[in-house]
Amino acid sequence: MQIALRPGSPSAWESDALVLAVEPEGRLGTIGQEIDQQLDGMLASTLREARFRGETGKTLVIPTLGRLPARRIVAVGVGDPATRSAHDLRRAWGAAGRVARDAGAASIVSEAPAAAQIDVTTAFRSATEGLILAGYRFQQYRTREPQPDLDTVTFAADGDAAQRGITLGEQTAKAVALARDLGNQPPDALYPARLAEIAEDTAQQLGLECRVYDRAALAELGAGAILAVGQGSIHEPRLIHLTYRPAGPSHGTIGLIGKAITFDTGGINLKPTGSVETMKIDMAGGPAVLATLSALPALGLPITVHGVIASAENMPSGGAFRPSDVLRTLSGKTVEIVSTDAEGRLVLADALTYTARERPDAMIDLATLTGAAVVALGNQGTAVFGSDITLVDDILAAAGTSGELMWQMPLWDAYHERLTGDVADLKNSGGRDGGSIFAALFLREFTEGIPWAHLDIAGPAWSDRVTDLTGKGATGHAVMTLIRLLESRSDRP
Ligand code: BES
Ligand code: MN
Ligand code: ZN
């Protein structure tokens, strides 16, 4: 999809579809009014008849039957200009692009996105993200002709601020699409060693550092938890360490840590039918980290970022780890296994210890960690835990602009006693009630006092239906928020 700017009025431009923003009660902007006049008032009357009120993201496709150079008008609701958010623009242009494409359009021209409280760059960035993300499809394994995507989008606008917004939107959305592409891969094609190869290739292309630890290297290191989780699979585990270093001075160091269980059967505590079907998404934390790092060279942020991905396949077999086993983590702490299905916190324990050795200013881990997070916040919300209030606030603020739903959860010390092992230092499950909190408290044991936040993305990593900005499948959730967080951290040396 080529997204470009062109000064002037789109009423005179040829295209497959002309996107017009409609405000509450069907109010039209300047371009809409101009077109309404060209059509002798028929645009306004058609919107009225369709009871089109301009609610954000609602669309109406109106064929122009040769009366305009554009073959059809796509009217899209954008809500009240005074309160309109960046996310409203993202949703509106996402919806408009998707209906235009589904109506057969290849080229669209569009009114400029705008809102009272939003600068031009942010407005164009949001609309661009919406167009690309809502248009995303995963077609790699289909043998029929791929369905055509939108080819060109031309905004009626001009200037550096708008162009900068388009570029930022493209860079961000491209990263989200990479996370989706990886999350949608079937688990027979994407196992730990393959994920490591993809990380290495990506790093090489983009100029990131990349170091991969295979099973022997993990044994040498002493990463007993990752090794235990991976020992039941023919696909051996990997720890992947990516580093982005800015060309100029660095305003600090952040560690991003991702859980990448390429398939979670539950292991010996095998998941039943009904729970196991979507478990290829249990690697979503890894792609979120890789995708975020992949955007940094182009964004050129003045901040150092370590991306550490702990990858294993959790399988039952004669060689699998079992309940009551005691393993020794990279930190030296011992863990008694209550459930082999609480494997995410184990691989993350080693990855957190590993990352803490880089002494970053802050660490953030991303993991499809608990079903309890989905019960608490539903399947679109991320549960955010953190030992550092400023870091949590920064993450929630970044989520506010990315439109991703995130909500803070408690790390209550009073609950910690339930993680004390009977024979080892810790046990890997505190029970079902409050399950996300126990998982987070377990992870905190491995953070070495470094400011840390944990994002439980078990719900939003996967969508079981088409939504405003996602298809059915992997969503790439958290990538947009992480990129904005790193941007805001870079502004504050
Ligand atoms: N990968 C799952 C969590 C999950 C659930 C991800 C739903 C995506 C959607 C995780 O490894 C797991 O199995 N957690 C257990 C923990 C329990 C055994 C303490 C859970 O949530 O039931
Ligand atoms: Mn599990
Ligand atoms: Zn899991």
Side-chain angles (χ1 to χ4, degrees):
M1 191 190 301
Q2 289 280 92
I3 305 180
L5 295 172
R6 178 175 167 187
S9 169
S11 60
W13 302 345
E14 273 183 37
S15 70
D16 296 331
L18 165 57
V19 175
L20 285 180
V22 182
E23 293 183 359
E25 305 316 316
R27 281 196 309 277
L28 294 166
T30 4
I31 293 169
Q33 285 171 20
E34 193 184 316
I35 285 168
D36 190 43
Q37 272 168 18
Q38 274 175 280
L39 296 172
D40 305 316
M42 279 170 60
L43 174 57
S45 63
T46 306
L47 292 174
R48 251 193 324 274
E49 273 164 41
R51 295 196 180 78
F52 191 82
R53 297 204 209 292
E55 290 138 289
T56 306
K58 287 265 160 45
T59 55
L60 185 68
V61 179
I62 307 165
T64 53
L65 306 174
R67 296 194 53 180
L68 275 186
R71 296 174 112 97
R72 49 182 83 74
I73 291 169
V74 173
V76 61
V78 288
D80 191 328
T83 55
R84 193 179 296 157
S85 67
H87 192 52
D88 290 333
L89 296 174
R90 196 177 291 113
R91 286 172 56 206
W93 264 268
R98 189 140 72 188
V99 296
R101 177 195 72 189
D102 292 345
S107 66
I108 65 177
V109 299
S110 172
E111 224 180 316
Q117 303 185 30
I118 295 169
D119 61 85
V120 173
T121 300
T122 305
F124 277 83
R125 178 182 192 171
S126 306
T128 301
E129 287 168 350
L131 283 161
I132 298 172
L133 294 179
Y136 174 88
R137 280 187 291 213
F138 184 67
Q139 308 194 70
Q140 189 187 329
Y141 292 90
R142 301 254 189 230
T143 55
R144 58 163 154 74
E145 256 311 89
Q147 292 164 310
D149 290 324
L150 285 180
D151 209 38
T152 58
V153 176
T154 308
F155 283 111
D158 205 4
D160 291 346
Q163 185 51 57
R164 170 116 189 96
I166 292 174
T167 305
L168 284 168
E170 286 174 336
Q171 288 163 344
T172 310
K174 191 175 161 198
V176 179
L178 171 62
R180 290 180 180 181
D181 281 344
L182 292 172
N184 283 325
Q185 288 294 331
D188 56 338
L190 192 63
Y191 43 87
R194 182 71 197 118
L195 182 61
E197 277 168 21
I198 293 170
E200 277 171 330
D201 290 350
T202 309
Q204 178 134 46
Q205 279 163 27
L206 300 174
L208 301 167
E209 293 166 26
C210 184
R211 176 160 184 201
V212 173
Y213 296 76
D214 63 8
R215 198 169 70 109
L218 287 167
E220 176 103 354
L221 193 66
I226 299 180
L227 287 169
V229 172
Q231 78 189 34
S233 171
I234 55 165
H235 296 299
E236 295 182 352
R238 294 286 186 275
L239 185 114
I240 305 161
H241 178 184
L242 296 150
T243 309
Y244 164 75
R245 291 185 206 281
S250 177
H251 297 171
T253 303
I254 302 280
L256 301 177
I257 298 101
K259 166 182 174 182
I261 299 297
T262 57
F263 196 79
D264 182 13
T265 65
I268 297 299
N269 295 91
L270 195 63
K271 286 182 186 291
T273 297
S275 297
V276 79
E277 287 79 1
T278 56
M279 281 302 139
K280 73 171 184 181
I281 201 57
D282 213 21
M283 41 73 83
V289 169
L290 174 57
T292 302
L293 271 281
S294 79
L296 298 179
L299 291 168
L301 299 182
I303 188 167
T304 303
V305 183
H306 294 284
V308 176
I309 300 170
S311 189
E313 187 180 47
N314 189 19
M315 294 292 262
S317 81
F321 77 137
R322 47 183 108 51
S324 300
D325 277 2
V326 172
L327 54 87
R328 190 182 181 81
T329 62
L330 179 58
S331 70
K333 291 183 184 172
T334 55
V335 180
E336 179 179 333
I337 302 306
V338 174
S339 170
T340 60
D341 200 11
E343 83 298 339
R345 65 199 73 181
L346 298 173
V347 299
L348 286 172
D350 282 351
L352 283 165
T353 303
Y354 178 89
T355 310
R357 291 180 178 173
E358 299 287 343
R359 301 313 300 171
D361 303 312
M363 302 198 286
I364 303 167
D365 76 73
L366 297 103
T368 48
L369 205 61
T370 63
V374 193
V375 173
L377 297 179
N379 63 8
Q380 291 191 67
T382 282
V384 182
F385 297 83
S387 60
D388 184 85
I389 190 72
T390 315
L391 181 61
V392 170
D393 285 348
D394 285 354
I395 292 169
L396 296 177
T401 35
S402 74
E404 295 178 316
L405 303 181
M406 300 201 179
W407 196 257
Q408 189 179 1
M409 300 272 271
L411 274 172
W412 286 319
D413 290 322
Y415 284 19
H416 195 271
E417 59 177 10
R418 274 168 59 177
L419 289 172
T420 306
D422 295 335
V423 297
D425 299 336
L426 290 162
K427 54 186 177 190
N428 78 331
S429 170
R432 283 168 54 85
D433 54 318
S436 308
I437 303 174
F438 294 120
L441 286 169
F442 183 92
L443 295 179
R444 192 179 62 179
E445 290 299 300
F446 302 90
T447 57
E448 317 254 332
I450 292 170
W452 154 81
H454 156 58
L455 273 52
D456 193 332
I457 57 172
W462 183 262
S463 180
D464 46 24
R465 63 193 172 90
V466 176
T467 69
D468 285 348
L469 296 172
T470 74
K472 186 177 168 178
T475 60
H477 180 90
V479 173
M480 280 201 287
T481 300
L482 288 175
I483 289 177
R484 278 174 174 77
L485 175 79
L486 295 175
E487 287 172 338
S488 76
R489 286 253 165 181
S490 307
D491 291 344
R492 228 184 308 146

